Amino acid sequence: MLAPHNLISLAGLLLFNLLPLASSLDQHININPKVTPKLSYEIKLHGFLLWASVGFLMPISILIKRISNANPSPTNLRIIFYTHAITQVCAVLVAAAGGVISIKHFDNSFTNQHQIIGLLFYAAIWFQTMLTIMRPHRGSRGRKIWYVVHWLVGIAASLVGVINVFTGLQAYHERTLEDVRIWTAIFIVELCLVLLVYLLQEKWHYLGQHGTASKSQTAHHKLSEEESCV
């Protein structure tokens, strides 16, 4: 769903973000009598699934796809494409699971920002899914238009998803009176790391091309000198 990167170090950080979530949010859950332990679990599971989709699988998919810019060989492109596609499908399915929990257990009156933005997020990812299924073949008419729409919808889905995570944290705070500042800060750091890797990938690609070109020029120069000596 967007252009992407290489991201091995990020995966560890993302997993680290999630592990403490289940334990730390239980500490003061009875402050609000309306939030039962069962409802608390469902809220946290819903949040975890949405984070796993928007904050983990989608960034990884984006960064994986971006590797194709630096690895244009047919074999690499095929592997990268299918890895990107599988990761995106997992992201959509995980987000869908979070949506099912919301429909079954929460009040979906759409009277707050989180619910409205969440609805926009689901509309975007399912529209993107349909676009992917309807992908024209390379070289066919409409391929360029499809690519632009696919790219724009991917950006929109990612941005709306990120906003929805922030509004979800705020909604959780309002519902349970829990302090979510630490999770907000961690998510911001995570987004900054994703953006940093995204930007650095462009430099890696440029440096790789520059290094290859320099070696080629050096070899050509040596060959020219040898020929002149002969």
Side-chain angles (χ1 to χ4, degrees):
M1 278 184 188
L2 267 173
H5 266 317
N6 198 345
L7 169 75
I8 298 175
S9 60
L10 179 65
L13 175 68
L14 302 183
L15 290 174
F16 168 79
N17 293 349
L18 292 180
L19 291 177
L21 183 62
S23 59
S24 66
L25 292 180
D26 275 329
Q27 294 175 358
H28 305 290
I29 201 65
N30 291 324
I31 291 178
N32 188 340
K34 293 183 180 180
V35 180
T36 64
K38 183 175 183 298
L39 181 58
S40 168
Y41 170 78
E42 291 161 353
I43 292 174
K44 288 184 289 185
L45 181 59
H46 168 77
F48 175 87
L49 291 173
L50 267 294
W51 177 91
S53 175
V54 176
F56 183 68
L57 292 170
M58 286 186 182
I60 285 182
S61 177
I62 289 171
L63 299 176
I64 288 174
K65 180 63 174 68
R66 195 159 179 77
I67 299 174
S68 62
N69 295 337
N71 296 274
S73 69
T75 301
N76 288 338
L77 288 176
R78 189 175 296 106
I79 294 173
I80 291 169
F81 170 77
Y82 283 112
T83 304
H84 167 73
I86 291 171
T87 309
Q88 288 287 50
V89 169
C90 291
V92 172
L93 293 177
V94 170
V100 170
I101 292 175
S102 176
I103 293 172
K104 289 183 62 176
H105 302 291
F106 305 152
D107 175 23
N108 295 290
S109 56
F110 298 100
T111 56
N112 61 59
Q113 288 183 339
H114 179 62
Q115 292 176 338
I116 295 172
I117 295 174
L119 184 62
L120 293 175
F121 169 69
Y122 283 110
I125 62 173
W126 286 112
F127 181 59
Q128 182 76 318
T129 301
M130 288 189 294
L131 279 176
T132 303
I133 295 173
M134 299 167 59
R135 179 172 64 100
H137 294 289
R138 289 183 180 275
S140 62
R141 294 183 61 183
R143 173 75 181 198
K144 290 183 178 180
I145 296 176
W146 173 89
Y147 178 82
V148 172
V149 174
H150 176 70
W151 181 70
L152 290 175
V153 175
I155 291 176
S158 298
L159 290 177
V160 173
V162 167
I163 294 172
N164 203 39
V165 171
F166 284 115
T167 58
L169 287 169
Q170 182 61 29
Y172 183 84
H173 168 69
E174 294 173 356
R175 187 71 179 270
T176 66
L177 305 181
E178 288 286 340
D179 186 356
V180 296
R181 287 177 294 182
I182 181 62
W183 303 114
T184 302
I186 289 175
F187 190 54
I188 291 174
V189 170
E190 175 194 331
L191 292 176
C192 291
L193 288 174
V194 171
L195 180 60
L196 178 63
V197 175
Y198 184 93
L199 295 175
L200 285 177
Q201 195 276 341
E202 291 290 344
K203 297 301 180 183
W204 293 335
H205 181 47
Y206 170 78
L207 291 175
Q209 287 184 326
H210 183 72
T212 302
S214 298
K215 291 179 180 178
S216 177
Q217 290 175 359
T218 301
H220 179 72
H221 180 69
K222 289 182 179 179
L223 182 60
S224 299
E225 289 181 346
E226 291 174 357
E227 290 177 348
S228 63
C229 291
V230 175

